[in-house]
Amino acid sequence: MIVKKITVVFFASEAGAEPVRDWLKGPYEPDRVKIGEDIRIVEFGWPIGMPVCKPLGQGLYEVRTTLKDRIARAVRNRG
C-alpha cells in the first residue's frame, strides 16, 4: 500500500469553500488532470524538486505544472 508522505491543504474561504479543490474536481479537462497528477506526485513522492516543486522560502513550496502554453502554479506550505 502506498501512503501519502504529506497532505495537500487547499485554500479555504472563511465560509469553508475550497475553490481550487472544487475546480480540480470539475468536469474532465486535460489541464485539470495534469495539475492534479502533479499535486499527487508531490503528496506521495515528497521530497520532490524541480521542475515539479520549487521552494519559495519560509516553508512554502510551489507545485509547477507545465501545460501546453503556460505553467500553472499552486503553493504548498510545508510547515
Side-chain angles (χ1 to χ4, degrees):
M1 178 171 80
I2 299 173
V3 179
K4 284 186 180 184
K5 294 184 178 184
I6 63 169
T7 300
V8 170
V9 177
F10 291 95
F11 164 80
S13 69
E14 289 185 19
E18 295 178 309
V20 175
R21 181 190 296 253
D22 293 343
W23 179 81
L24 285 170
K25 292 169 73 177
Y28 174 81
E29 179 182 317
D31 289 353
R32 283 188 179 107
V33 172
K34 181 68 175 135
I35 293 166
E37 288 172 353
D38 284 346
I39 291 172
R40 186 173 30 256
I41 285 169
V42 172
E43 286 181 298
F44 288 93
W46 187 260
I48 299 291
M50 286 292 287
V52 176
C53 192
K54 176 183 176 184
L56 299 177
Q58 298 182 354
L60 291 177
Y61 290 81
E62 178 181 70
V63 178
R64 301 165 57 100
T65 301
T66 302
L67 302 172
K68 184 177 180 180
D69 58 349
R70 65 193 187 283
I71 295 176
R73 294 176 169 101
V75 176
R76 163 71 176 123
N77 183 337
R78 182 67 175 113

